[in-house]
mmCIF file with all atom_site columns, all heavy atoms in Angstrom:
data_model
loop_
_atom_site.group_PDB
_atom_site.id
_atom_site.type_symbol
_atom_site.label_atom_id
_atom_site.label_alt_id
_atom_site.label_comp_id
_atom_site.label_asym_id
_atom_site.label_entity_id
_atom_site.label_seq_id
_atom_site.pdbx_PDB_ins_code
_atom_site.Cartn_x
_atom_site.Cartn_y
_atom_site.Cartn_z
_atom_site.occupancy
_atom_site.B_iso_or_equiv
_atom_site.pdbx_formal_charge
_atom_site.auth_seq_id
_atom_site.auth_comp_id
_atom_site.auth_asym_id
_atom_site.auth_atom_id
_atom_site.pdbx_PDB_model_num
ATOM 1  N N   . ILE A 1 96  ? -31.426 102.130 189.203 1.00 93.00 ? 110 ILE A N   1
ATOM 2  C CA  . ILE A 1 96  ? -30.361 102.570 188.299 1.00 93.00 ? 110 ILE A CA  1
ATOM 3  C C   . ILE A 1 96  ? -30.838 102.385 186.857 1.00 93.00 ? 110 ILE A C   1
ATOM 4  O O   . ILE A 1 96  ? -31.465 101.379 186.533 1.00 93.00 ? 110 ILE A O   1
ATOM 5  C CB  . ILE A 1 96  ? -29.072 101.748 188.504 1.00 93.00 ? 110 ILE A CB  1
ATOM 6  C CG1 . ILE A 1 96  ? -28.516 101.960 189.908 1.00 93.00 ? 110 ILE A CG1 1
ATOM 7  C CG2 . ILE A 1 96  ? -28.025 102.113 187.468 1.00 93.00 ? 110 ILE A CG2 1
ATOM 8  C CD1 . ILE A 1 96  ? -27.331 101.068 190.213 1.00 93.00 ? 110 ILE A CD1 1
ATOM 9  N N   . VAL A 1 97  ? -30.506 103.357 186.007 1.00 87.00 ? 111 VAL A N   1
ATOM 10 C CA  . VAL A 1 97  ? -30.798 103.256 184.579 1.00 87.00 ? 111 VAL A CA  1
ATOM 11 C C   . VAL A 1 97  ? -29.495 103.466 183.824 1.00 87.00 ? 111 VAL A C   1
ATOM 12 O O   . VAL A 1 97  ? -28.809 104.461 184.037 1.00 87.00 ? 111 VAL A O   1
ATOM 13 C CB  . VAL A 1 97  ? -31.837 104.308 184.131 1.00 87.00 ? 111 VAL A CB  1
ATOM 14 C CG1 . VAL A 1 97  ? -32.040 104.255 182.624 1.00 87.00 ? 111 VAL A CG1 1
ATOM 15 C CG2 . VAL A 1 97  ? -33.147 104.117 184.866 1.00 87.00 ? 111 VAL A CG2 1
ATOM 16 N N   . LEU A 1 98  ? -29.157 102.528 182.955 1.00 83.00 ? 112 LEU A N   1
ATOM 17 C CA  . LEU A 1 98  ? -27.975 102.639 182.102 1.00 83.00 ? 112 LEU A CA  1
ATOM 18 C C   . LEU A 1 98  ? -28.444 102.885 180.685 1.00 83.00 ? 112 LEU A C   1
ATOM 19 O O   . LEU A 1 98  ? -29.400 102.260 180.228 1.00 83.00 ? 112 LEU A O   1
ATOM 20 C CB  . LEU A 1 98  ? -27.147 101.348 182.147 1.00 83.00 ? 112 LEU A CB  1
ATOM 21 C CG  . LEU A 1 98  ? -26.649 100.918 183.524 1.00 83.00 ? 112 LEU A CG  1
ATOM 22 C CD1 . LEU A 1 98  ? -25.945 99.572  183.418 1.00 83.00 ? 112 LEU A CD1 1
ATOM 23 C CD2 . LEU A 1 98  ? -25.736 101.962 184.114 1.00 83.00 ? 112 LEU A CD2 1
ATOM 24 N N   . SER A 1 99  ? -27.788 103.780 179.998 1.00 78.00 ? 113 SER A N   1
ATOM 25 C CA  . SER A 1 99  ? -28.145 104.033 178.605 1.00 78.00 ? 113 SER A CA  1
ATOM 26 C C   . SER A 1 99  ? -26.890 104.106 177.762 1.00 78.00 ? 113 SER A C   1
ATOM 27 O O   . SER A 1 99  ? -25.800 104.379 178.270 1.00 78.00 ? 113 SER A O   1
ATOM 28 C CB  . SER A 1 99  ? -28.966 105.326 178.474 1.00 78.00 ? 113 SER A CB  1
ATOM 29 O OG  . SER A 1 99  ? -28.170 106.438 178.776 1.00 78.00 ? 113 SER A OG  1
ATOM 30 N N   . GLY A 1 100 ? -27.042 103.866 176.492 1.00 72.00 ? 114 GLY A N   1
ATOM 31 C CA  . GLY A 1 100 ? -25.928 103.949 175.559 1.00 72.00 ? 114 GLY A CA  1
ATOM 32 C C   . GLY A 1 100 ? -26.210 105.006 174.517 1.00 72.00 ? 114 GLY A C   1
ATOM 33 O O   . GLY A 1 100 ? -27.352 105.212 174.135 1.00 72.00 ? 114 GLY A O   1
#
Side-chain angles (χ1 to χ4, degrees):
I110 297 174
V111 175
L112 302 175
S113 68

